Amino acid sequence: MSNLKPMFADVQAELDIAIVGSGPAGLSAASRAQKLGCSYVLFEGESHASDTIYKYQKGKHVMAEPGFLPLRSGMQFEAGKREHILGTWDKQLAEQRVNIQYKKKVASIIKLNDGAGPFELECEDGSKTTARTVILGIGLQGNIRKIGTEGDDLPTVQYTLSDPDEFQNETIIVIGAGDAAIENALGLMKKNKVFLVNRREEFARCKEGNLSQILAADSGEDLKILYNTSTTRIEEISDAKDGEPCMNYVFKGPDGEQTMPVHRIIARLGATPPRTLVEGFGVQFPNNDPSAVPALSETYESNVPGLFIVGALGGYPLIKQAMNQGYEVVDTIMGLPVVPADEPLLAEKFKPMGDRSVSEVLNLIQSNVPIFSGITKLQLREFMLESALLKPGKGQIVFKKNDYTSTFFSIVEGSVDIDLVDKNGKPLVINLAKGNYFGEMGLISGRRRTATIRAGEGCVLVETPRKAMLKLIASVESVRKTIDETFVRRAIATYLAPPLDNAAINELLSDGIDVRRYAKGEALFKDGDAADGLYLIRRGSVAISKVIKDKDVVLSYVSAGNYVGEMALLNNNPRSATVTASVFTEALVLPVAPVQRVLAANPDWKAVLQAQASKRVKSNVFREDEAFRDSDLIRFLMQEGLGEATDALIIDESLCVQCDNCETACADTHDGTSRLDRSAGPTFQNIHIPTSCRHCEHPHCMKDCPPDAIRRNEHGEVMIADSCIGCGNCQRNCPYGVIQMAVKAPPKKGNLLTWLLFGLGDKPGEREAAYDPNAIKKAVKCDMCAGSTGGPACVRACPTGAAIRISPEKYLVKQGEPG
């Protein structure tokens, strides 16, 4: 027995501590308890320690992240093979004489004497013990998420993978975006053809090492990633012969619904907390979200005094974090001072808050910003390690209207002022108080900032990078729902229904929000369909079309941040046009019933919408002959991806003399490497789209860049910084082939202009010296000649005016929605 005085020392019990679960957190806790001389036991339900890692696939490389966090544990841990780590831990368990009892699955934990006494733990074999405190480190592995579609329980659909070498010469679908899915796909691709299905457009939750490996393998002969793809159903092929695919995997991706014959499906969709079991121990959860974790204090104590939760069940899935927690919680129980391992890092971030402690600042953030109320204090600590705390002076600009930044801001204290313009064109300032947040449009849709934001009195902000915020949205359902609702509220107030008050907006949202995703070319609704709701375009863009003289004619184009579908709701008529996604598009749909209730109760709003609808109908009727003529060209531009572009190079071939001055000028401006290929690219009628960056609203190149080297500057240009490591991910991710890997060349002696006008310097293309083509190559692409006062060199160098840079929103006729 230790000389230390543990918590609840006056409570009579057999043990100071009962530790349940021998994962990394439990092992670390037991090692620390042994070192301190506590009376304790470590219960493990299996016949081996650390069952979660034991079930990792054979040969898995286990990473030690986050790298900046020090390890605090009596058990060794460093990155390495699964087998080595398990072997090391087994050896240390024996060397340290840790009191671990195998095949002891805890069935119940109760507090005796009406909650005043010790904990009584009963195992499934009927044995019982009492302890003053309990550390619960049971993880999540017993509650595997299933696919949730027809066919997800077929024999060749599995939810774990032990040995990738068990399968060969098969076509295998791996579903998931986390580390387990990535590692399974990498292991299986050695002997099989693998398709990795990611429901989102990037990998927000995996470790950087895994991210680099999977992106390097993508589009190779043996592995392909399917982004923005969801499972529709799984069909058994009843007459399949041995060795042939036995299932049809039916999925919906950016190109619509497709079917793929496969041998096997491995779904690695994570797990949810064993809620029924844990609630049976008396532990409370903060909400009904299936993925919610128990509410814990900063010392990992649950609502049940003396019952502590560590590791994945507490919201910390990383091994190093879990081991630190196991160590720290034992020190807490034994009355030793504890400074969390991440405390110095957070303290540095929180310096703008003066003398307030880390705990005080975290409490302030969580109490003042409701969006964080659904996450635990531990999750908030991790979130803040990736965010920045800002204290701008009054009047300081946070961002400007039309900026292309994409970070997310939460207001912790004070307020911000939003500079807008009212319906009469006069300046309007709206004050946004603490507890609110802003920047969700840039985060989600990729569009420019819609207003200028200035700091108010006493302003304190949390600025979160896009990737960290997407990770939180993907991990915490309550955060996702809050973001969706706020997006709708602000879109309603800004674009759809400025006259409505909060009560009316609440009524509009009373039946919930339906989030719908559409592949390129997929119809949101068709001419003649019954009205099913009002569509707010959150990201992407849509084309409005109608059959005129037996031809499907494109009438207009609507981008993210706007709405479609209101006219049929106003008139109680079927849809009068077809709305089709021009690129991958996401819409938030308000159901018919609440919209019509609010319309009936708010005649002023109804009159505004009717006036707008009438204007649009007249405009579309006026345009029909023009639209009939131009429709094929607009459709061509949309098919070529201009619906997601923000600035594209277009050449009028009726004016082009093929002098290639545009290419030469581009190369001359960019150290000898032209960022465009004039002759490449598609042509329709006299309009040619050369191979050159379109500066997409949601840049494909930007996703999954390991050094985060690709950013938008304030004017919208998508730029590649010098921190590029030459991995080539952006080149593989770009669907338009506008990125190349190149060696930075020595400068030319002269340039196109000096050679043509004065004969100075070498001819274009000649250089001072040869350069090594085997040197490290980095990604290069059009940067719109950012920093040049005259604009893009390609346009300036065109002698006939054939080359122009355009915004599709201005080039494509952008009307309202006639449906």
Side-chain angles (χ1 to χ4, degrees):
M1 183 71 179
S2 168
N3 292 324
L4 298 172
K5 185 177 181 179
M7 297 175 66
F8 309 105
D10 55 335
V11 175
Q12 296 299 310
E14 299 170 70
L15 303 171
D16 293 330
I17 307 170
I19 305 167
V20 183
S22 70
L27 291 177
S28 187
S31 173
R32 184 59 174 166
Q34 177 73 18
K35 176 72 173 180
L36 295 178
C38 307
S39 59
Y40 74 97
V41 65
L42 173 56
F43 288 128
E44 170 53 52
E46 302 297 329
S47 58
H48 49 261
S50 195
D51 187 54
T52 297
I53 297 178
Y54 186 88
K55 288 178 178 175
Y56 282 174
Q57 69 183 43
K58 292 182 179 178
K60 169 183 165 67
H61 181 79
V62 181
M63 299 180 187
E65 293 193 358
F68 57 78
L69 195 66
L71 177 66
R72 181 180 290 169
S73 177
M75 302 290 285
Q76 295 177 11
F77 174 62
E78 57 185 19
K81 297 292 185 183
R82 157 194 177 269
E83 291 78 7
H84 174 74
I85 290 169
L86 291 174
T88 298
W89 286 349
D90 285 340
K91 180 181 178 182
Q92 289 190 301
L93 285 171
E95 290 175 347
Q96 296 179 23
R97 298 184 179 182
V98 170
N99 181 22
I100 181 170
Q101 296 185 18
Y102 297 106
K103 305 297 286 185
K104 288 284 187 178
K105 191 170 185 178
V106 175
S108 70
I109 302 174
I110 60 173
K111 258 202 163 185
L112 301 176
N113 303 331
D114 294 326
F119 290 95
E120 181 184 77
L121 295 86
E122 182 174 3
C123 296
E124 289 185 348
D125 63 7
S127 60
K128 297 180 180 180
T129 191
T130 59
R132 297 184 180 90
T133 58
V134 172
I135 300 174
L136 205 58
I138 57 177
L140 309 178
Q141 287 300 307
N143 293 265
I144 301 295
R145 285 194 182 99
K146 300 189 73 173
I147 298 172
T149 63
E150 177 187 343
D152 68 355
D153 57 353
L154 290 173
T156 45
V157 177
Q158 60 192 71
Y159 295 89
T160 61
L161 176 66
S162 175
D163 187 1
D165 292 333
E166 182 181 350
F167 310 111
Q168 54 186 339
N169 301 320
E170 292 188 349
T171 299
I172 300 175
I173 296 289
V174 178
I175 305 174
D179 292 303
I182 290 173
E183 290 157 2
N184 286 178
L186 291 170
L188 289 164
M189 66 176 284
K190 298 172 184 176
K191 298 181 179 179
N192 305 276
K193 176 68 174 177
V194 178
F195 293 86
L196 177 59
V197 173
N198 183 349
R199 190 168 63 89
R200 303 186 182 275
E201 65 180 341
E202 56 189 290
F203 294 93
R205 293 178 294 155
C206 68
K207 300 182 181 71
E208 289 297 327
N210 279 335
L211 177 62
S212 299
Q213 290 186 63
I214 198 65
L215 294 178
D218 184 24
S219 299
E221 188 174 327
D222 301 314
L223 187 141
K224 180 174 177 57
I225 301 172
L226 304 179
Y227 291 101
N228 289 317
T229 298
S230 58
T231 305
T232 302
R233 63 186 178 277
I234 303 164
E235 303 169 338
E236 188 172 21
I237 302 176
S238 57
D239 57 349
K241 299 178 181 178
D242 288 345
E244 294 182 346
C246 60
M247 294 180 292
N248 279 325
Y249 178 65
V250 185
F251 61 97
K252 179 181 175 183
D255 297 322
E257 187 169 284
Q258 299 180 57
T259 299
M260 184 187 301
V262 301
H263 295 85
R264 189 172 311 279
I265 295 172
I266 299 172
R268 304 309 304 270
L269 304 175
T272 58
R275 188 158 184 152
T276 301
L277 174 66
V278 176
E279 286 180 330
F281 300 157
V283 175
Q284 296 175 356
F285 286 72
N287 53 57
N288 292 324
D289 180 356
S291 63
V293 296
L296 305 176
S297 73
E298 286 187 82
T299 59
Y300 318 112
E301 191 171 16
S302 72
N303 60 286
V304 180
L307 195 157
F308 298 80
I309 296 177
V310 290
L313 181 58
Y316 269 44
L318 298 180
I319 294 173
K320 190 187 292 185
Q321 292 171 327
M323 295 182 76
N324 285 350
Q325 291 174 2
Y327 181 101
E328 291 167 4
V329 76
V330 171
D331 278 8
T332 297
I333 290 171
M334 301 308 295
L336 294 173
V338 175
V339 177
D342 60 6
E343 190 86 358
L345 302 172
L346 291 173
E348 182 66 26
K349 282 182 174 286
F350 295 167
K351 277 186 176 180
M353 300 302 288
D355 294 332
R356 298 192 212 190
S357 69
V358 167
S359 181
E360 288 173 330
V361 175
L362 290 171
N363 287 336
L364 181 72
I365 293 171
Q366 193 153 39
S367 63
N368 284 7
V369 186
I371 194 174
F372 300 132
S373 62
I375 67 176
T376 68
K377 190 65 64 62
L378 304 179
Q379 289 173 316
L380 182 60
R381 294 181 78 102
E382 182 180 12
F383 178 77
M384 288 305 302
L385 286 173
E386 299 181 84
S387 301
L389 192 103
L390 308 177
K391 198 172 181 181
K394 183 178 180 181
Q396 183 176 333
I397 292 177
V398 179
F399 57 67
K400 294 181 180 179
K401 183 177 181 179
N402 292 326
D403 278 359
Y404 260 120
T405 53
S406 60
T407 50
F408 182 88
F409 293 86
S410 308
I411 308 174
V412 179
E413 285 188 330
S415 64
V416 298
D417 291 325
I418 307 172
D419 293 343
L420 299 171
V421 176
D422 68 14
K423 60 183 179 181
N424 298 316
K426 295 182 179 180
L428 174 67
V429 177
I430 295 178
N431 185 262
L432 203 61
K434 72 177 181 182
N436 289 288
Y437 55 85
F438 56 94
E440 75 283 349
M441 177 68 82
L443 175 80
I444 296 169
S445 72
R447 293 279 166 173
R448 295 175 183 267
R449 301 294 196 185
T450 57
T452 294
I453 307 287
R454 291 177 290 105
E457 191 74 46
C459 181
V460 176
L461 303 173
V462 171
E463 182 179 12
T464 305
R466 177 178 178 272
K467 189 171 184 179
M469 197 64 206
L470 292 178
K471 177 182 177 181
L472 185 66
I473 291 172
S475 304
V476 183
E477 182 68 12
S478 62
V479 174
R480 184 193 66 78
K481 289 180 177 178
T482 302
I483 294 289
D484 287 347
E485 181 175 325
T486 301
F487 182 97
V488 173
R489 284 181 175 276
R490 291 178 179 170
I492 289 170
T494 303
Y495 302 108
L496 179 61
L500 294 184
D501 58 21
N502 283 333
I505 293 177
N506 289 339
E507 179 64 20
L508 277 178
L509 302 177
S510 60
D511 287 0
I513 306 164
D514 187 10
V515 182
R516 301 184 188 176
R517 310 170 97 200
Y518 300 91
K520 177 181 178 181
E522 184 177 0
L524 283 68
F525 53 77
K526 296 182 178 180
D527 191 352
D529 286 352
D532 63 338
L534 184 63
Y535 291 66
L536 297 168
I537 308 302
R538 181 158 76 169
R539 61 166 297 181
S541 57
V542 297
I544 314 300
S545 64
K546 188 174 179 63
V547 176
I548 302 174
K549 301 176 184 179
D550 297 323
K551 179 180 179 181
D552 189 28
V553 176
V554 177
L555 295 172
S556 56
Y557 159 87
V558 177
S559 62
N562 295 287
Y563 60 90
V564 294
E566 87 287 357
M567 197 174 297
L569 298 179
L570 283 167
N571 302 327
N572 290 316
N573 289 327
R575 303 292 190 189
S576 60
T578 296
V579 177
T580 306
S582 58
V583 292
F584 175 78
T585 296
E586 190 173 80
L588 303 180
V589 184
L590 298 176
V592 173
V595 174
Q596 292 187 328
R597 288 197 300 268
V598 175
L599 283 170
N602 294 269
D604 289 345
W605 179 42
K606 186 171 184 178
V608 170
L609 288 188
Q610 285 176 329
Q612 291 174 343
S614 177
K615 183 178 178 181
R616 291 170 181 175
V617 170
K618 290 177 182 178
S619 176
N620 285 326
V621 170
F622 178 77
R623 285 197 66 255
E624 282 189 2
D625 287 341
E626 180 184 346
F628 189 83
R629 185 185 70 247
D630 294 340
S631 176
D632 290 341
L633 174 59
I634 295 175
R635 193 180 301 279
F636 160 74
L637 295 174
M638 301 290 273
Q639 288 174 346
E640 293 302 323
L642 264 72
E644 66 175 336
T646 63
D647 197 292
L649 178 64
I650 289 180
I651 294 177
D652 184 342
E653 292 204 326
S654 66
L655 299 175
C656 179
V657 295
Q658 301 185 24
C659 63
D660 280 338
N661 282 2
C662 53
E663 276 195 48
T664 306
C666 182
D668 196 56
T669 307
H670 297 100
D671 296 326
T673 301
S674 176
R675 277 87 186 286
L676 74 94
D677 187 338
R678 180 197 59 78
S679 60
T683 301
F684 182 83
Q685 295 175 357
N686 64 315
I687 299 300
H688 176 64
I689 306 176
T691 300
S692 180
C693 183
R694 292 102 179 277
H695 302 273
C696 300
E697 65 174 23
H698 256 277
H700 301 271
C701 58
M702 193 180 293
K703 68 185 181 185
D704 298 327
C705 174
D708 201 19
I710 305 178
R711 302 285 182 91
R712 279 193 188 278
N713 73 8
E714 60 183 6
H715 300 297
E717 300 95 337
V718 178
M719 312 281 287
I720 301 178
D722 290 339
S723 56
C724 170
I725 60 175
C727 68
N729 290 347
C730 55
Q731 183 185 43
R732 288 187 288 271
N733 285 335
C734 176
Y736 305 114
V738 303
I739 298 179
Q740 56 184 303
M741 307 303 293
V743 176
K744 186 174 181 179
K748 298 177 184 179
K749 294 180 181 178
N751 58 40
L752 175 67
L753 188 62
T754 58
W755 186 76
L756 286 175
L757 297 181
F758 309 111
L760 299 176
D762 294 336
K763 292 181 180 180
E766 294 183 356
R767 305 183 176 282
E768 291 181 345
Y771 64 97
D772 181 6
N774 297 316
I776 295 176
K777 296 181 178 181
K778 294 191 176 185
V780 296
K781 59 175 283 299
C782 166
D783 59 4
M784 297 280 291
C785 297
S788 293
T789 55
C794 56
V795 175
R796 286 185 284 127
C798 180
T800 64
I804 59 171
R805 279 269 174 191
I806 58 130
S807 166
E809 290 184 48
K810 296 178 181 178
Y811 190 79
L812 301 171
V813 181
K814 184 182 176 186
Q815 308 273 352
E817 188 270 320

